[in-house]
Amino acid sequence: MKSILILLGVYFGIINASFSQSQSDSINNKFLNRVIIAEASLYSVSMIGLGAVWYQGNENQKFQFFNDNQQWLQMDKAGHIYSAYHISNLNFNLLQKAGYTPKKAMLFSSISASLMMLPIEIFDGFSTAYGASVGDAVANTIGAFLPYQQLLFNQNYIYPKFSFSRTNYADLRPNTLGNNYIENILKDYNGQTYWLSTDFNLFSSQNRFPNWLQFSIGYSGNNMLYGNPDQNLENGYMANRQWFLSLDLNLEKIESDKKWVKTALAVINIIKIPFPTVEWNGKTVILHPIYF
């Protein structure tokens, strides 16, 4: 999940730029310049961190493509969609605060998010361990333009979230799945779950449920020590998909007069809140009292 390094670097730092700015009718160049400088700086740090964590020790090659669409049960594609969405959504909110109309802010944020994710494929293309992936680029584009639902429907009907629980698989292949907890979050797809959360009131015109209460559909994979399905089987592991149904909270719907509280809730809201969860793994139904 290389893309999350970019998301973390951009999201958790630049969101502070919006503390004191309100919507205006014209472009606030001072605020916009702050956003550009902060985002460029944080983005550069994220890319350096990406190179250190993910590509260290890999040899370079002539740029080439690699079709990885069948690897890791497409969990990496889910990660690209998730990261691109939140970068695009953050930029959309910041550009509106700078004075752009919603349509222009959405267009610019979607394009910028797609471009910000592009260097990952360039790095992969020059690395002997990977290769540039067209599938990843498509996933980036889907995630970057998914916030357009706010213009089409006046709200976010689909909100991507993420959760992680450490597994024992990383101990078996630490060089691939991570040597420590932070690396495990980024590399161990067995422990990652990607969610799509939406309001209960989506199906009711009478708003019978609290607007902060949601249900969420999750996706993950298990028994993956190798990305290649054939190689995984040859080593005695049969990867399987996992589907989850759970409750969730939309923390951005919680009212607060304090801007720092609203900002903190917005940051936390990209993570799925633990709740009792029902899992379907293709064979059996499993009830988790608490799942994260």
Side-chain angles (χ1 to χ4, degrees):
M1 190 178 166
K2 302 182 287 294
S3 55
I4 198 174
L5 286 172
I6 296 179
L7 169 63
L8 293 175
V10 173
Y11 199 96
F12 288 99
I14 197 172
I15 198 168
N16 293 308
S18 63
F19 272 178
S20 60
Q21 182 62 29
S22 59
Q23 180 70 34
S24 60
D25 296 327
S26 59
I27 305 302
N28 186 324
N29 290 319
K30 182 178 180 180
F31 175 75
L32 183 61
N33 289 335
R34 283 173 54 196
V35 169
I36 293 173
I37 293 173
E39 190 156 325
S41 301
L42 293 164
Y43 180 76
S44 299
V45 172
S46 299
M47 297 306 297
I48 294 173
L50 175 64
V53 172
W54 208 275
Y55 299 99
Q56 188 175 19
N58 294 341
E59 296 182 2
N60 294 330
Q61 66 178 359
K62 183 179 179 181
F63 186 87
Q64 68 176 17
F65 287 91
F66 173 67
N67 185 353
D68 65 347
N69 292 334
Q70 301 304 316
Q71 297 206 352
W72 301 113
L73 296 179
Q74 296 80 48
M75 284 291 293
D76 57 325
K77 305 299 181 285
H80 280 264
I81 292 174
Y82 168 84
S83 298
Y85 171 89
H86 285 291
I87 292 174
S88 179
N89 192 52
L90 174 63
N91 286 342
F92 171 63
N93 292 327
L94 291 175
L95 288 176
Q96 283 193 104
K97 290 179 183 294
Y100 282 92
T101 64
K103 288 185 177 180
K104 287 185 178 180
M106 184 61 72
L107 178 62
F108 294 157
S109 63
S110 298
I111 294 174
S112 65
S114 297
L115 293 176
M116 290 172 72
M117 299 291 287
L118 186 60
I120 295 178
E121 304 315 314
I122 297 176
F123 286 169
D124 282 355
F126 285 109
S127 173
T128 55
Y130 302 103
S133 169
V134 175
D136 286 355
V138 171
N140 294 338
T141 303
I142 292 174
F145 282 86
L146 186 57
Y148 256 96
Q149 60 186 298
Q150 297 178 62
L151 295 185
L152 297 176
F153 307 110
N154 296 320
Q155 63 175 302
N156 270 329
Y157 280 120
I158 301 174
Y159 194 87
K161 294 193 176 185
F162 172 78
S163 65
F164 176 81
S165 296
R166 196 177 188 280
T167 73
N168 294 325
Y169 295 104
D171 296 331
L172 302 176
R173 291 197 73 202
N175 290 337
T176 299
L177 303 181
N179 287 288
N180 53 59
Y181 188 78
I182 299 299
E183 290 187 2
N184 295 158
I185 294 177
L186 300 174
K187 295 183 175 184
D188 186 2
Y189 293 111
N190 299 281
Q192 299 174 6
T193 305
Y194 293 96
W195 304 83
L196 294 178
S197 295
T198 191
D199 296 342
F200 273 102
N201 292 321
L202 172 65
F203 304 105
S204 173
S205 60
Q206 299 180 2
N207 294 329
R208 297 177 179 177
F209 301 93
N211 61 0
W212 43 261
L213 183 63
Q214 297 184 315
F215 70 91
S216 192
I217 298 174
Y219 173 69
S220 186
N222 201 14
N223 294 322
M224 296 182 292
L225 264 73
Y226 300 85
N228 186 294
D230 294 333
Q231 189 177 9
N232 207 50
L233 278 173
E234 290 172 359
N235 285 274
Y237 296 92
M238 179 175 290
N240 66 280
R241 303 179 191 275
Q242 298 166 289
W243 299 91
F244 303 90
L245 182 63
S246 182
L247 295 175
D248 193 21
L249 302 179
N250 186 346
L251 300 180
E252 293 188 60
K253 295 291 182 69
I254 297 177
E255 299 293 334
S256 176
D257 295 331
K258 298 181 179 180
K259 291 184 178 180
W260 72 267
V261 172
K262 296 180 68 174
T263 300
L265 291 174
V267 171
I268 299 172
N269 203 44
I270 69 175
I271 304 297
K272 167 74 168 60
I273 302 299
F275 266 105
T277 300
V278 177
E279 173 191 343
W280 168 250
N281 60 18
K283 295 181 179 180
T284 59
V285 175
I286 302 173
L287 176 60
H288 300 273
I290 290 292
Y291 182 89
F292 186 70

